[in-house]
Amino acid sequence: MKKILPKLLYPPLERNSNDENELFLESGAQEKDSFGRGEPRRPWIGLAIWAGATVANIALFFLSLATFHAGLSNSECDCSPKAMNEYSPIFDQINVTLTTTHFNNTFWPDQVPSIFQQRPSPEVDAAWSRISGAQAVTITEAEARRLGLDPRTLWPMPESILPPSSRQPSPSLSPSREKHYMAMPDVFHQTHCLNQMRRSFFPEYYGDLRAKYSSPSHEFPFEDHFLHCQYLLLNVLTCHADLEMVTFNKVKGTEGPFPNFAVDRKCKNFHDVLDWKERNQVVLPDGTELGDFVPGEIVEVDPTGLSVPWSASTKGRGK
């Protein structure tokens, strides 16, 4: 059977000896200088120059690579809270720092290290009320845009209820154009959720919260509110994913390994954040709510992803 050779992808170029001689001299040929004198060609000189240039380039490449890596190893990473977090106007107003904090998360009810681990009392409620207050603060139009938001869709705050710290005109805007919008640092949403869950564990002290939050005046049933808080706190925990090590001891009077939950953590200066929030929160007149200040112009947004979950948006929930 006759063997069929595959066709070449590109046909061979036809050689033109005249053109080629003009560009490249055949090995062993002679070049002529401007006086017509021929000299024997020395191809090894060009090869030596090419080889030397190649070696020099390779050496320079590795030298540059070593210098680059040395610079990386000697440079310090900006690991400040501002650099390690998404944008927040708070970073521009207070110095948020990290401090090593020791937590003694003991089990023993007669040795509770913090008021936040104690059973209900007026003092306990006052402590929780301060750190979990969901009062609104304000952000400016420029800050809203830095957050990637369209100010037209945000709830505006009227001038009459702005805290004194928010009434100062922004350096980037003239007083006549300055607008403020309702906002809240997320940490206080998280502590609000945790406090609601804490209260639900003591119905004999706080009453039946299920019945309270199931009234027609509440938009979401108690169970949905509770599950919302549970999922939100789960997201916070898994996002931060603390990697401090819990070790185990042999404790007198107990059997088997006993966990030592006392750990050190790098923590933001929460008390400074709390002080900032209390200086900048909106204080409403007695007997009023933010819903009473209906904005004149605001663009309504689709509930998908807000009051209606993304996965349930086609099922008619929240309508």
Side-chain angles (χ1 to χ4, degrees):
M1 183 175 181
K2 186 177 180 180
K3 185 177 180 180
I4 302 176
L5 296 176
K7 293 183 179 179
L8 294 175
L9 183 61
Y10 298 103
L13 295 174
E14 294 182 1
R15 182 170 179 175
N16 187 321
S17 59
N18 293 330
D19 294 338
E20 187 178 55
N21 288 336
E22 293 178 1
L23 299 175
F24 304 102
L25 295 175
E26 293 287 344
S27 176
Q30 293 184 341
E31 290 184 6
K32 291 184 178 181
D33 60 16
S34 57
F35 297 98
R37 294 174 301 193
E39 292 183 359
R41 189 180 177 193
R42 299 172 182 174
W44 60 270
I45 296 179
L47 182 62
I49 294 175
W50 175 85
T54 302
V55 172
N57 284 331
I58 293 175
L60 286 174
F61 169 75
F62 282 106
L63 180 62
S64 300
L65 193 63
T67 304
F68 173 74
H69 282 286
L72 284 182
S73 60
N74 293 330
S75 63
E76 295 184 0
C77 171
D78 183 2
C79 299
S80 65
K82 184 176 182 178
M84 300 298 291
N85 283 262
E86 295 296 319
Y87 167 73
S88 169
I90 298 177
F91 287 115
D92 298 329
Q93 301 182 43
I94 64 173
N95 182 27
V96 181
T97 59
L98 292 177
T99 303
T100 299
T101 306
H102 181 76
F103 293 91
N104 181 18
N105 300 312
T106 178
F107 272 121
W108 313 122
D110 57 345
Q111 298 176 0
V112 289
S114 169
I115 193 171
F116 296 105
Q117 197 176 337
Q118 295 179 12
R119 293 178 180 272
S121 71
E123 294 76 18
V124 169
D125 284 349
W128 275 98
S129 178
R130 186 186 178 202
I131 69 165
S132 64
Q135 296 91 346
V137 298
T138 67
I139 59 174
T140 65
E141 181 177 348
E143 291 166 346
R145 294 190 184 281
R146 284 195 64 184
L147 288 166
L149 304 173
D150 182 355
R152 298 175 302 169
T153 66
L154 302 181
W155 195 278
M157 300 295 283
E159 176 74 21
S160 60
I161 62 173
L162 289 180
S165 59
S166 298
R167 294 175 186 172
Q168 302 300 321
S170 170
S172 60
L173 297 174
S174 65
S176 61
R177 294 177 53 203
E178 185 78 348
K179 294 182 179 179
H180 290 81
Y181 302 90
M182 182 178 178
M184 177 176 63
D186 198 24
V187 63
F188 297 105
H189 177 205
Q190 297 158 15
T191 53
H192 162 78
C193 271
L194 186 60
N195 190 31
Q196 289 296 89
M197 297 175 73
R198 177 192 70 88
R199 286 158 50 89
S200 68
F201 297 150
F202 301 98
E204 69 283 358
Y205 189 88
Y206 296 106
D208 186 0
L209 298 184
R210 182 187 301 271
K212 177 181 178 181
Y213 286 98
S214 296
S215 64
S217 61
H218 287 84
E219 187 174 359
F220 299 103
F222 174 81
E223 292 82 358
D224 287 346
H225 196 173
F226 193 94
L227 292 173
H228 153 79
C229 284
Q230 170 187 288
Y231 184 56
L232 175 136
L233 294 176
L234 174 65
N235 286 336
V236 174
L237 293 172
T238 54
C239 174
H240 290 281
D242 288 339
L243 303 180
E244 292 80 13
M245 287 294 178
V246 173
T247 56
F248 295 79
N249 304 105
K250 177 64 177 75
V251 177
K252 294 179 180 180
T254 62
E255 297 181 1
F258 196 90
N260 179 5
F261 292 113
V263 295
D264 293 337
R265 291 192 175 92
K266 292 286 188 181
C267 301
K268 295 188 180 77
N269 46 328
F270 175 74
H271 289 290
D272 291 342
V273 176
L274 180 60
D275 290 341
W276 176 91
K277 180 248 190 183
E278 291 177 337
R279 292 194 308 268
N280 292 274
Q281 66 190 17
V282 174
V283 179
L284 296 174
D286 293 339
T288 62
E289 297 180 357
L290 281 174
D292 298 333
F293 300 89
V294 180
E297 297 181 2
I298 187 171
V299 176
E300 291 189 349
V301 298
D302 189 278
T304 303
L306 294 172
S307 62
V308 179
W310 291 100
S311 59
S313 60
T314 60
K315 300 180 182 179
R317 287 194 60 186
K319 296 181 179 180

